[in-house]
Amino acid sequence: MATACITGASSGIGMEFAKKLSKMGYDLILVARSANTLQALADKLPTHCEIIPCDLSIEDSVIELAQTLKTRSITILINNAGFGDLGEFDQTSLNKDLDMIRVNIMALHILTKELLPIFKKRNSGYILNVASSAGLFYGGPYMATYYATKAYVTSLTSAIYEELKEARSNVHIAALCPGPVDTNFNNVANVRFSLPGISAKSCANYALKELFKGRLIIVPTFIMKAAAIAVRILPRKYMLAMTAKQQKKKQL
Ligand SMILES: NC(=O)c1ccc[n+]([C@@H]2O[C@H](COP(=O)([O-])OP(=O)(O)OC[C@H]3O[C@@H](n4cnc5c(N)ncnc54)[C@H](OP(=O)(O)O)[C@@H]3O)[C@@H](O)[C@H]2O)c1
């Protein structure tokens, strides 16, 4: 039986990935800090689910997780765990920034790096890195660290995609870049959306459909697809001012 590993499966988009993949027949490995929530989810799903409680902001824990995952036969890795924070760069917490960099970047980087060789050797499998529409922009004033972490995710994923293509590998990697999705994200990031959000279920289902089609950058909504095109056409300073305007509307 094929197995998928999802980080950040205790809530939001990650939980919807778990529900959909289990419905499709995948066994699951569910990762997050909230062990009880993961267990409650595992108990409800129709396929076999292993839960691995892990704080992905701790490097040693992520390395230990990667070693465990290497002993399982994983066919899909979804690096979904992540969070943001709103505020002027010189006013937000350094500790929260560093935790964000460790969860959004370090953990995703370690898990991708440790598992990709196994996928390549087997010449099959999918890696889905959850970035954000934030990863498509030049920068995100008032959410500077979050946007920068997600730009890292889209950049890393795109580079690996090309390496896999040039190696004629059947392994596929993609970055999911949604705009607003109705989850617990806002509460953690201290924001309210300036645009209406889509449901976590529709986001996860769309992402999986596009992943299996071999798409590199997956953008679920028309408005964000249009914004991604605008970034390529409009001057950087203009886009930064536009992004700042949108971000200011997110202040609670
Ligand atoms: N919602 C949006 O509008 C939106 C838009 C674009 C991209 N995204 C991205 O989508 C992904 C999922 O977010 P979401 O919207 O579903 O938010 P969410 O409901 O807050 O879920 C975040 C998940 O990440 C996990 N997580 C956070 N810190 C962790 C840590 N230190 N160790 C392990 N797990 C951790 C949380 O689990 P525990 O708390 O149990 O550890 C939770 O399962 C994130 O990468 C986010 O940046 C979200």
Side-chain angles (χ1 to χ4, degrees):
M1 179 58 74
T3 301
C5 172
I6 304 154
T7 70
S10 63
S11 172
I13 305 169
M15 188 180 272
E16 294 300 332
F17 278 130
K19 289 180 187 169
K20 178 70 179 173
L21 286 167
S22 183
K23 214 170 165 185
M24 290 169 73
Y26 285 87
D27 287 339
L28 300 178
I29 299 173
L30 306 173
V31 180
R33 289 166 301 184
S34 315
N36 291 347
T37 315
L38 290 181
Q39 191 57 59
L41 175 65
D43 291 344
K44 278 196 287 189
L45 295 178
T47 52
H48 180 265
C49 298
E50 178 182 4
I51 69 157
I52 306 185
C54 178
D55 186 339
L56 295 169
S57 68
I58 301 171
E59 184 178 338
D60 286 349
S61 303
V62 182
I63 287 170
E64 195 184 317
L65 170 66
Q67 295 315 317
T68 305
L69 295 180
K70 280 180 176 178
T71 66
R72 313 292 195 270
S73 189
I74 293 168
T75 45
I76 303 179
L77 169 66
I78 303 185
N79 284 304
N80 163 78
F83 68 93
D85 193 23
L86 185 83
E88 279 181 67
F89 184 73
D90 62 344
Q91 302 293 318
T92 47
S93 149
L94 176 60
N95 283 339
K96 195 168 178 183
D97 277 1
L98 293 178
D99 266 356
M100 198 193 306
I101 290 165
R102 286 189 277 260
V103 176
N104 296 10
I105 295 180
M106 180 198 73
L108 174 146
H109 186 111
I110 292 173
L111 295 180
T112 303
K113 197 157 185 91
E114 291 292 325
L115 291 179
L116 186 60
I118 298 173
F119 280 42
K120 277 179 85 173
K121 202 167 164 200
R122 207 178 47 215
N123 198 24
S124 69
Y126 294 90
I127 298 175
L128 179 60
N129 289 331
V130 179
S132 163
S133 55
L136 302 170
F137 290 84
Y138 291 122
Y142 308 108
M143 246 184 148
T145 307
Y146 180 69
Y147 272 63
T149 65
K150 295 303 186 178
Y152 182 96
V153 176
T154 52
S155 172
L156 184 81
T157 305
S158 300
I160 298 170
Y161 172 91
E162 185 60 22
E163 289 180 11
L164 289 169
K165 200 180 99 190
E166 294 189 6
R168 296 184 192 283
S169 172
N170 285 325
V171 179
H172 178 62
I173 191 164
L176 171 60
C177 299
V181 185
D182 294 326
T183 67
N184 197 38
F185 180 87
N186 279 3
N187 295 331
V188 179
N190 298 313
V191 303
R192 68 182 148 108
F193 289 144
S194 52
L195 295 168
I198 59 169
S199 74
K201 184 177 179 177
S202 69
C203 179
N205 291 356
Y206 180 83
L208 289 173
K209 193 166 60 114
E210 296 298 296
L211 175 73
F212 295 136
K213 276 190 207 164
R215 189 89 63 209
L216 165 58
I217 301 292
I218 302 169
V219 184
T221 52
F222 173 77
I223 190 157
M224 283 305 155
K225 284 187 175 94
I229 293 166
V231 171
R232 279 184 247 136
I233 298 167
L234 297 170
R236 177 182 286 256
K237 286 183 184 172
Y238 176 80
M239 277 313 298
L240 284 169
M242 290 284 287
T243 314
K245 202 172 156 194
Q246 280 303 115
Q247 289 304 124
K248 276 186 192 158
K249 288 189 202 160
K250 291 184 180 173
Q251 276 159 4
L252 289 171

